[in-house]
Amino acid sequence: MKELEQIRTMYQHKNKDIHNLDTWNEVKNLFLGKNGYVTSCMKEIKNLDPKDRKSFGEAVNQLKNEITVLLDKKKVELENLEIEEKIKSMPRLDLTIPTQEECGSLHPVTIVQQKLIDVFRSMGFAVEDGNEIETEYNNFEAVNIPKHHPARDMQDTFYLNNGQLLKTHTSASQNRIMKKYGAPLKVIFPGRCFRNEELDASHENTFFQMEGMMIDKDVSISNLIYFMKTMLSEVFGKEVNVRLRPGFFPFVEPGFELDCSCPYCGGKGCKVCKQSGWIELCPCGMIHPNVLTMGGINPEEYQGFAFGLGLSRLVMMTYGIDDIRHLNGKDLKVLEQTKVK
Amino acid sequence: MYISVNWLKDFVNLDGLNIEDVVQQFTLSCAEVEGVEYKGKDVQGVITARIEKVVDHPNSKKLHLLEVNTGKEKLAVVCGAPNVKVGMITAFAPIGAQVGQLTIGKAIVGGYESYGMCCSAKELGISDDHSGILEFSADQQIGVDVKKVLPIDDIIIEIDNKSLTNRPDMWGHYGIAREIAAITGRTLQPYIVDQHTYSGKENLAIEVLSPSCYRYSAVRIGHVTKHSSPEQLKIRLYYCGMRAISLLADLTNYIMLELGQPMHSFDGSKIQSITVRDIQQNTPFTTLDGVQRILPSGTMVIDTNHEIGAIAGVMGGQSTEIEENTDSVFLEVANFEAVKVRKTATAIGLRSESSARYEKSLDPEMTMMALRRYIYLLQTIDPNCEVVSNICDVCVKKYDKIVINITKQFIDKYTGVDIPQERMVHILTSLGFQVTENGSELCVHVPSWRATKDISNKADIVEEITRVYGYDNIVSKPSTQPIKPLRIGTDIVREYDIKYMLAQRYNWHEIHSYIWEDQPTNAMLGIETPSYIYLINSLQKDNENIRSSMKPTMIRTLLQNKRYADDFGVFEIGHVVTGMKDHLAQEEKHLGIGVMTKQNNFAQKLLEVKDSILYLFHYVLQLPVRLEESRPTEEYLCPINHYDIICDHESVGNIGVLHPKVQQKIDAEKVVILVELNVSKIYQKPAEISKYESVSKYPTTSLDFNFVLDQEKHYGDIEEIAHKIPTTLSYHVELLDIFDNGNTKNYTLRYFVTSKDHTLSSEEIEQFHTSVITTFEQHGVYLKTE
Ligand SMILES: [Zn+2]
């Protein structure tokens, strides 16, 4: 028993010398290893007088437990120390220092167009692509603008040497799309349009539009209003109001100019809406019966509405771009500002 | 077009209405208003006054010293007008009055005190006549506000002509008044015209030969004694943008501004006969404005006494112009075919007030109305004048009467709201339509002024009803269409994925460029590029050619931005024309990529560009692709390092490098890599969906092979072979290493082979090993001999 007391004292002494895992292992071996002091004592038990065995056995076991607990505790301490050391040796970085992140850019028109496409697709519209070079028939006749119609005056058309032209409006695709799909139909078709005019801050000869059509058996003016309001609220990410005014476009009857309550000032008046609270945003109307007929759709059975959105204008509003020429300008210092999103 | 509110009030009572509200309602129901101007607002306190004395200024030839009698006091005034005379009654602005921007105060003019200012018509804003001060009739009472004498106060509404394109009836005050009556619920006053019948007088010699003259009405009026228009008439013309000339001419303009019907007044003493015909050859003619113009063959003209006297519908000539003191007028009111007038006006480059209206397809019924209005107004102003001929009215073509049958149900379906039938009928009637009802069916007779082209079908009737009913009263409603899946023909959606990938993964920048070539820049760089089609009327000189490739655009964009960075890239998906078929342009969409980097970074960059193409095909489009070395067809590309992009056994584009001779004109230290990809073509290829393959649970064995290839050959040449090993085992292959000894290249391939259902035996492995070697040998590729 006295021997056990000596071992205990010895351990207490040794415990202080443990500074790392190596010394920890040494000490553990010294006491609890195969030939360690405690293990040796355990081996002694069977040689003892049977009447002493029980009490000695209990005492050895208790000693073993005591040492095990102390060793475990020491090990946790050591490990904590080691992690603290690691942390101390870790470099401390300043992440507030600016870094040069490299990223390409999408053209602002692409970004706004994609946003619109997403909105329309979410509302069940198909997306169609169109040519930039069109026939006179598709651009004019098929949308109810016969030869010598005064409406051809409003559009300074780029003509090509083979009699074709650069399309003056996305409506040039209406006929082809109606013939391709027939009714009912819900489709949008973005495209680049061309007008032969001099350039300035608000005039480009190459610009972007997005047009849409919805044709079905019971499509009414009140559906058009509902749809435009819902769509524009989605586009601007806030509730807007719309109002219709008469507008003359040969391919719709009745034709409307649609004003949208200014999403920037909520209708109070600001620079964007020229203090009026309204933004003239998109010509629209019920598709003219002649246009439906030429597209192979029976106007007695089907009605529909069509609308055009000035994509270039929407882009300029969205990004606060004040000169339309930037959109075709190819100056990367300007374009790089619309990083990929 | 300018509309005078005073004038409108001749035709519709606007008492008690706020004009701003009326204008707002007009905008929402009829046409776009561009502006509202309050005339006379800046003329305050100007009165009539008599000049009692006129003394020459001692030191000035121009100035006079006047004594002006305002009725209350006599004032000394210094005046520079040349027409001052004693006894003259003029417009006088005393101290405190306002004339335009000027508030009158006591002034020293030429050393003399002046207590006010005598005003010209221009200063009062009612004319651009600044030749002298205004003169009233001698019996004019003095000391009266000039606004009580002259209708200086008016509100002028400017209407956007474009929004009237399809409304010939709205090109005059009477038509606008009809609209305003309908939207405000007021009554339109009848249009007062002469009602007499004329017979037993001269029959005018009028012959209409041109089929484009639909109606020709004429009359001769003699014994005219007045030559100048009343001030009220002059002011209305001026406020509406026209200049007063003489009474007989002014009335034609006045009635044109009322009805929208152009008229022409010939000097009555000069006209014996009229012939309306199309000329058979190009003919010179001097128009009223003094310009000689060549009229192309086919132009419709009015011959007076067998010589051209006017271009029908466009402008008259000088020889038959009204002389200053003539006592007779020959009045022409005609209706011409819109397209004919439009063609003529375009051909000779002369757009007049008259041609602008004829182009809109005028109502032929208006000619007699206008003619009789002229007689009525002239006789009111000059009671001495007399109609000296019978009224001649040649009708060649009449428009069909248009009757549209429409039901309330159809209108309800079209509008989506329930407008009471009574309201529908009321609206149509107020606009001049005649409606007969049979239950819910409306039989709508279109008035002649709307029947020339404007209204022809049911949708047009819906528009008339809804715009006056008020679009704001149409409640919005969702449609009740059944839900159907989208038809996806959506190349544009895939395009976004491509663009996103190029910008985000490769840090390149998307641009948008014109569809035409920039020929001067191409020439400067020495780039020749074919063009299959060109613009014939572009305002942009030297930019007529439509591009056939995206590469020149990419090169020019890199040039423009060459100082942007050492290493950068741009791309665009744009339209190009690559040929013609049946005279139609063959349009394709191409992706162009242009990357500029430093010489020493060339190899790495080329591999990066190649990587972008593989990534695009494999991961964005899910299509197989391989590259095949080829010779560029473009002379501005380097003859080496040019590869065709092959998809589905077809070339769909290429990768190349800018020729050094072009490169040195941009930046000799740099190198430009170019890609062109026909995306229209690859969109048509069906995406490959990779099939699931079960993963083997058994060990995989790897086998290395060392093949030798000529310098000329590419890995691409053996890649296909490598995947064609005849075996039932599962395997895949990787290129481990390339060793180039200068003469030949050694390619180390590592095969990984396994079975799905058992562990491979050494015999099986040996057999596979042999198969690989045999397959390559069959294609003339051998193992490296040690
Ligand atoms: Zn605003």
Side-chain angles (χ1 to χ4, degrees), chain A residues 31 36-37 81 95 116 120 127 147 157 181 189 266 281 287 293:
Chain A
F31 290 88
Y37 299 124
L81 260 176
L95 297 190
L116 290 174
F120 280 106
V127 188
K147 278 209 167 61
T157 310
Y181 292 118
F189 34 108
L281 207 56
I287 302 171
T293 306

Side-chain angles (χ1 to χ4, degrees), chain B residues 480-513:
Chain B
T480 51
Q481 309 315 322
I483 290 173
K484 294 191 196 86
L486 277 183
R487 293 194 198 91
I488 310 217
T490 52
D491 294 345
I492 283 187
V493 179
R494 291 212 258 178
E495 230 155 70
Y496 183 77
D497 295 338
I498 295 176
K499 292 173 176 179
Y500 186 87
M501 182 276 281
L502 294 174
Q504 205 192 41
R505 190 175 162 90
Y506 295 95
N507 303 332
W508 297 330
H509 301 276
E510 188 192 11
I511 58 139
H512 276 175
S513 63

Side-chain angles (χ1 to χ4, degrees), chain B residues 13 99 129 621 672 682 785:
Chain B
N13 184 347
V99 178
D129 183 3
L621 300 171
V672 165
I682 57 179
T785 46

Side-chain angles (χ1 to χ4, degrees), chain A residues 129 132 192 196 216 253 336, chain B residues 463 513 537 564 587 589:
Chain A
D129 204 357
E132 294 186 347
R192 224 156 62 130
N196 192 8
D216 213 321
E253 186 67 49
E336 70 171 2
Chain B
E463 173 171 47
S513 63
N537 65 334
Y564 175 70
E587 194 175 330
K589 268 186 147 180

Side-chain angles (χ1 to χ4, degrees), chain A residues 58-156:
Chain A
E58 279 168 2
V60 173
N61 258 327
Q62 196 196 334
L63 180 62
K64 188 188 171 190
N65 285 344
E66 264 172 48
I67 292 177
T68 307
V69 166
L70 284 171
L71 274 171
D72 284 350
K73 195 175 155 210
K74 194 76 193 177
K75 190 166 187 195
V76 171
E77 270 170 32
L78 279 176
E79 280 168 352
N80 282 345
L81 260 176
E82 202 173 339
I83 286 170
E84 257 167 59
E85 273 311 312
K86 261 193 188 150
I87 290 171
K88 268 184 203 150
S89 62
M90 216 183 245
R92 185 161 170 266
L93 298 178
D94 181 358
L95 297 190
T96 66
I97 293 172
T99 40
Q100 211 66 42
E101 72 246 46
E102 231 198 289
C103 189
S105 56
L106 288 181
H107 195 279
V109 169
T110 300
I111 293 170
V112 174
Q113 176 176 301
Q114 187 58 29
K115 186 176 161 194
L116 290 174
I117 286 177
D118 285 346
V119 170
F120 280 106
R121 281 167 61 85
S122 78
M123 295 170 84
F125 277 70
V127 188
E128 268 288 320
D129 204 357
N131 280 352
E132 294 186 347
I133 292 173
E134 270 294 357
T135 57
E136 276 206 271
Y137 177 82
N138 278 340
N139 197 73
F140 292 126
E141 272 88 335
V143 286
N144 209 26
I145 312 178
K147 278 209 167 61
H148 305 293
H149 190 289
R152 290 202 184 186
D153 247 17
M154 303 175 195
Q155 317 183 333
D156 302 296

Side-chain angles (χ1 to χ4, degrees), chain A residues 262-279:
Chain A
C262 178
Y264 298 96
C265 64
K268 286 200 243 9
C270 69
K271 219 178 109 189
V272 179
C273 60
K274 297 188 189 110
Q275 308 306 329
S276 72
W278 293 95
I279 295 179

Side-chain angles (χ1 to χ4, degrees), chain B residues 639-702:
Chain B
I640 60 164
N641 287 321
H642 185 273
Y643 283 80
D644 279 343
I645 300 167
I646 312 283
C647 175
D648 195 17
H649 310 293
E650 174 180 29
S651 171
V652 292
N654 47 58
I655 302 177
V657 178
L658 192 62
H659 200 287
K661 73 184 177 197
V662 183
Q663 183 66 58
Q664 68 191 7
K665 291 183 183 152
I666 299 174
D667 183 344
E669 306 293 301
K670 299 276 181 62
V671 57
V672 165
I673 300 163
L674 296 158
V675 175
E676 178 128 11
L677 191 61
N678 183 343
V679 289
S680 306
K681 214 178 232 174
I682 57 179
Y683 289 154
Q684 291 162 9
K685 313 265 183 212
E688 271 188 350
I689 295 163
S690 35
K691 286 264 170 22
Y692 163 75
E693 265 188 58
S694 59
V695 180
S696 172
K697 293 191 288 259
Y698 300 93
T700 299
T701 308
S702 65

